[in-house]
């Protein structure tokens, strides 16, 4: 099967999901642009051409009891996690709707569906991103644009957080996450997924 | 049964839910302060004393296709709907936690759990408020503070939107909504509700 | 306010929720009939007259690893928890629809929305009852019948399971549960709740 | 990548999902056994060897207003949709747990998460199957068995229900569904999906 898209913009860099996804997409011949999450610079994204895939993979949080949180840090966390996702989704919609083709992938977390204590800002941002994803899917799906929201329900493996030797595969391998992103991109439009949760086999949920 | 609270701050004024709730609470001898939703003036709320009930009943939205939305209007809508709720919840937490007593009621909408097309900003704001409500409930519930989130699933009756004569009670009566808010405030702590949806009898859901 | 119903049938007896609810309803002048959960005898319910309120409060479970469960015990547990609820709801619908008046209250549990390990039969039965509740609400609500589903999210206090002295109100007081059932029965039809979760203040969720 | 399983039992035959899945699995060299949904004959399934994949794809329903449903037809529909799924899951668990390897796929529908009017028996059965899926996933996942629940949210294309020419891909292509089942089977255990919804691009949800 040919891969249905030829170019991708991935927002939110780092050594994790974005890099694994970029490598895997490149294997299908997809041209990749990576962008940092800096919302002040999102205008620059307008210049990245006409990506057929857009991935928003940025997030931020302020941790602590409600009474101790810095309101500005909360506002910034929500801006990066959700408002940045809106800006990217909007730019994607402007380019994809006229062509009736494209995919927008938004990366959520456990906090997208469960607001934990001492994590109000992350819950606010990730819940908001999920609301955006649903609204975008209902508007853009019938226009041929596949909007999907991924709930990464567990810790992602990283250099500073290696998989524990005595509990193998208890952290999400970024390559395994990227595999599911690619699977969703390859879904025929008669059977699209909108929301996909991914968690390690031994994770409680 | 005695009413368990003596004072209330209701944020987000207007002739609807806030006014009905204020009247009903006053009937129990509760002292009421009403405040507009203006987030720039929320600092002033610090001066309203030590309300035992805090209600956040403000919201805003920008309507239209994703590609046509004004990003600043989206940001402002999310700020009013969700960030204002955070600021009020934070101030409430600061005052209620030391006393181990209080109630925080946050008003949601159908958009709290379903993101509709052409309504991205409202979905973002109301989803975010729900994430805040869950996070606050998990942190503050065990400290004796009742955090409840109401999903108003339908149109609220108002002077400019009267109940249709040929479809009686197809809009939510603000007095009926206020009754359920009061019911939740009166729940003993051994059987609290956290999320309550309210909809007209004939509403599809 | 006058109480909107004059008679009630409560299925599933015992010293807990049913008894508390019966006492509280009797305080409003409601005539009460109590019935055991025995599904073989549910035909007899046809003879109890024309109750304006019907409550299904029965459940059963088989506990253990999937591989060790007795299939007959699973089938019986689902029959008591869900099929009994269907039979009672059906009889209620037959009587209430012609009058355009009535209330059907179905009692769920944490297992209504979360299937736990070693508790397959209870998850099956309580999930099924919730599906019934939604289907019944969508059919019967527009006919004037209030169908509500309660998620009792925690342990109910009982003689054999008293509230722990060092963790007060960490079990649900049946009287507190009954209070919320009555609150829902008193909701005006312009603002009905369909699903109500109740949990102790300190319960994790 | 090698395919991680070598044999499969698919319960619930017919020209749709089961056949497409069988063909696709066969393409990976998987040995297939197909079985009808007849719950009376499920004992026979014990003889099909030791399938590494088990799929339960059977369902039944009784349609109509609550007051008019035949209770026996409701009981049978729930038995086929959910109790048959339990029996198959139980037999699978017995064989897979000792090996610490296997996959159990359960097929749901829109009715798994939304109980529609006039469809009480289907909601009961599909909700119950979802409760089973969650309970099984929480028990069996940490034992190395991948339990996944698919929500088929739309009409499946069939000879008697062809895709409408003026609304292309508005019905789910069984081959497209089977593709997602295979994708889930190939997920590494560090990033499993438990619940996957599939719907046509233009479907309202």
């Amino acid at each position: 099967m040919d891969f249905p898209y030829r170019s991708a913009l991935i927002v939110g860099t780092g050594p994790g999901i974005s890099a694994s996804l970029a490598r895997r997409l490149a294997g299908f011949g997809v041209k990749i642009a990576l962008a940092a999450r800096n919302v002040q610079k999102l205008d620059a994204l307008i210049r990245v051409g006409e990506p057929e895939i857009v991935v928003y993979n940025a997030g931020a949080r302020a941790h602590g009891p409600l009474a101790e949180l810095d309101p500005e840090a909360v506002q910034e966390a929500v801006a990066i996690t959700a408002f940045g996702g809106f800006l990217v989704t909007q730019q994607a919609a402007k380019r994809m709707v006229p062509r009736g083709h494209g995919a927008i992938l938004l990366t959520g977390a456990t906090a997208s569906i469960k607001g934990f204590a001492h994590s109000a800002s992350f819950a606010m941002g990730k819940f908001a991103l999920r609301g955006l994803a649903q609204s975008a899917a209902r508007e853009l799906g019938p226009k041929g644009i596949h909007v999907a929201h991924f709930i990464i329900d567990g810790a992602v493996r990283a250099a500073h957080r290696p998989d524990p030797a005595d509990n193998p595969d208890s952290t999400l391998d970024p390559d395994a996450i990227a595999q599911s992103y690619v699977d969703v991109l390859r879904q025929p439009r008669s059977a699209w997924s909108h929301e996909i949760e991914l968690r390690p086999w031994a994770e409680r949920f």
Side-chain angles (χ1 to χ4, degrees), chain A:
Chain A
M1 189 178 76
D2 287 334
F3 198 75
Y5 306 102
R6 292 165 299 174
S7 57
L9 167 66
I10 303 174
V11 180
T13 56
I17 300 171
S18 295
S20 289
L21 182 57
R23 276 196 303 274
R24 193 171 281 262
L25 289 174
F28 288 103
V30 174
K31 286 179 59 180
I32 313 288
L34 287 163
R37 69 182 191 185
N38 192 321
V39 284
Q40 277 73 45
K41 298 184 184 168
L42 280 172
D43 283 343
L45 296 181
I46 299 172
R47 290 190 295 256
V48 298
E50 306 280 322
E52 295 180 354
I53 301 166
V54 167
V55 182
Y56 194 75
N57 192 19
R61 71 186 87 186
H63 198 77
L66 277 162
E68 296 176 16
L69 291 172
D70 172 9
E72 284 191 25
V74 170
Q75 198 164 25
E76 191 191 355
V78 175
I80 291 169
T81 306
F83 186 63
F86 165 77
L87 293 174
V88 168
T89 298
Q90 182 177 52
Q91 294 301 332
K94 285 182 181 174
R95 285 154 183 75
M96 294 174 181
V97 167
R99 294 176 301 198
H101 180 67
I104 300 171
L105 309 186
L106 304 173
T107 301
T110 315
S112 302
I113 51 171
K114 188 171 179 182
F116 290 97
H118 293 193
S119 193
S121 71
F122 202 48
M124 291 172 72
K126 286 297 191 187
F127 269 66
L129 187 73
R130 188 176 184 235
L132 169 70
Q134 287 190 11
S135 179
R138 289 191 171 95
E139 177 185 337
L140 302 179
K143 298 181 186 300
I145 298 159
H146 189 174
V147 181
H149 178 244
F150 292 80
I151 297 176
I152 310 300
D153 190 15
V156 179
R157 202 174 299 174
H160 66 276
R161 184 168 51 197
D163 202 47
D166 58 348
N167 195 4
D169 291 325
S170 62
T171 55
L172 290 127
D173 179 354
D175 286 342
I177 296 171
Q179 177 179 320
S180 282
Y181 279 53
V182 166
D183 289 342
V184 166
L185 289 170
R186 299 179 79 170
Q187 287 178 325
R189 67 179 180 175
S190 92
W192 276 351
S193 294
H194 168 62
E195 188 160 85
I196 302 94
E197 22 89 68
L198 298 172
R199 72 174 62 81
W201 63 307
E203 180 76 15
R204 298 179 62 182
F205 71 106

